[in-house]
Each structure stands twice: as C-alpha cells, then as structure tokens.
Amino acid sequence: GAGVSQSPSNKVTEKGKDVELRCDPISGHTALYWYRQSLGQGLEFLIYFQGNSAPDKSGLPSDRFSAERTGGSVSTLTIQRTQQEDSAVYLCASISSGGSYNEQFFGPGTRLTVL
Amino acid sequence: GENVEQHPSTLSVQEGDSAVIKCTYSDSASNYFPWYKQELGKRPQLIIDIRSNVGEKKDQRIAVTLNKTAKHFSLHITETQPEDSAVYFCAASGSNTGKLIFGQGTTLQVKP
C-alpha cells in the first residue's frame, strides 16, 4: 500500500500570508503526528491526533498554528500570518495506534519558505 | 521538560571502522527508543529501536544499547560503508501519546 504522503512538497510564501499543509496517512492508521524540522536541527513535535481528536497540542509554537483531522484520515496543518521563523520542513508521521511502541512512518515533508 | 541530548553532532570515520553515537534522555518514564536515518532531502527512516525491558538489540551491523539507570542509549555501527553516510537521529518516547522527542542529530560521514 501507499506510504504517508504530504502536499505540497514545497511552499514559498510571503510573510503575513496563511498556508495550509496536508498529510495523508497510511490507510487504517489511527494515530497521526506533526513534526517540524528546522535547517540542521532535529525534529520538533507539534501535535498528535488519535482519530479526529488532538489530545496533545503541546508542541504548537503559537496560536498562529492549528491543525485538524477529518474522517480519521487526512490532516491539515494551518499557519496563519506566517513569519520568517516558520521556515522549516514540516513532517507528518502515522502509526497504527497511538501510544504503541512501533514504527512511526514519516511522509516526505513539506518545505516551507517564508520570504 | 522532556529533552534528548545527542553526541557527537558530526562524526567522520574510515570505511570499515566502527561508529558510535550516544544519547541521553531526561524523562525517566521514557520506555521506547528508536533510531532514524535521514539521507539528504529524504524522509527519516527507522533503522532500529529498543524497548526499556531490553538492554541490547542487534540487527546485522547495527546495534543499540540502553542503560536505563543512567538514562543513556547508544547506536553502534560496525564495518561502516559509504552508504551509511547520513544524519542519524535518536528519539525517546514514554507518554501515552507515543510522541517522539528527538535528539539534534549526528552527521555521519564514511570515507572510502
């Protein structure tokens, strides 16, 4: 089956604009995670979904960041009023069930550049 | 808060030599420790993982050791090959959510 997919692969936007990043997890995976990877850095946890609910949003950097998940599948990460420090690669990952200690499968990421 | 420290940040070895990357974690509740390999421009891929009830795990040329008392875990790659060159990330997880806390990464260069 298909792996985790993300779109767009690259996004260039101007400071102050809103952006939406999309993640399609592996079919049947109930848990979904968003991470952010700044240049030369490790991955930083943003938010966790179990089904359509987000029991852990502790990693969202500010209230400009939000995410939703519908139908227990596709997730969208929205960044409002983008700032230059938001430039990074945004990765999502899915797993068959949250909290289980098995492999998180990563998508290819969306590279966001804020000018 | 939860934190994972990873050392060294860069590592250069000759082909055939061994490479060791070390991580320490702060959350004593952590009980799952995966290692990911990320090639340039690619997504992270799991190479090995270990759970807290095990002290060591081996898969061909790769091994991971865990010392829960000291909150240390390490990745060992033997007989390194040029294709092992990549960025390696350690991570720790212990919450009910399964979220991963990552180290800062180690850039491994294997010289032919």
Side-chain angles (χ1 to χ4, degrees), chain A residues 4-59:
Chain A
V4 179
S5 61
Q6 292 185 245
S7 60
S9 55
N10 280 285
K11 177 71 177 178
V12 180
T13 191
E14 293 180 347
K15 178 181 172 181
K17 297 282 177 103
D18 298 351
V19 296
E20 283 190 354
L21 313 179
R22 177 186 168 110
C23 172
D24 282 272
I26 293 173
S27 178
H29 280 193
T30 61
L32 185 149
Y33 305 82
W34 283 97
Y35 295 89
R36 178 170 72 173
Q37 185 173 27
S38 301
L39 187 63
Q41 299 295 309
L43 285 74
E44 172 191 8
F45 168 77
L46 298 178
I47 188 169
Y48 156 66
F49 284 94
Q50 178 59 43
N52 291 337
S53 64
D56 189 347
K57 307 178 183 180
S58 62

Side-chain angles (χ1 to χ4, degrees), chain B residues 75-97:
Chain B
L75 177 72
H76 304 251
I77 306 174
T78 59
E79 301 170 28
T80 53
Q81 301 167 2
E83 52 265 38
D84 294 331
S85 297
V87 181
Y88 292 80
F89 292 98
C90 63
S93 173
S95 72
N96 292 333
T97 67

Side-chain angles (χ1 to χ4, degrees), chain A residues 3-4 33 35 37 40-45 48 55-56 58 91 98-99 101-108, chain B residues 31-32 36 38 41-46 49 51 89 93-105:
Chain A
V4 179
Y33 305 82
Y35 295 89
Q37 185 173 27
Q41 299 295 309
L43 285 74
E44 172 191 8
F45 168 77
Y48 156 66
D56 189 347
S58 62
L91 291 151
Y101 306 118
N102 291 302
E103 180 176 0
Q104 289 191 17
F105 292 87
F106 281 85
Chain B
N31 54 15
Y32 174 64
Y36 282 83
Q38 187 176 32
K42 302 278 185 69
R43 71 191 76 189
Q45 296 208 310
L46 181 75
D49 58 13
R51 290 162 179 76
F89 292 98
S93 173
S95 72
N96 292 333
T97 67
K99 72 181 180 185
L100 296 176
I101 306 300
F102 283 86
Q104 294 301 299

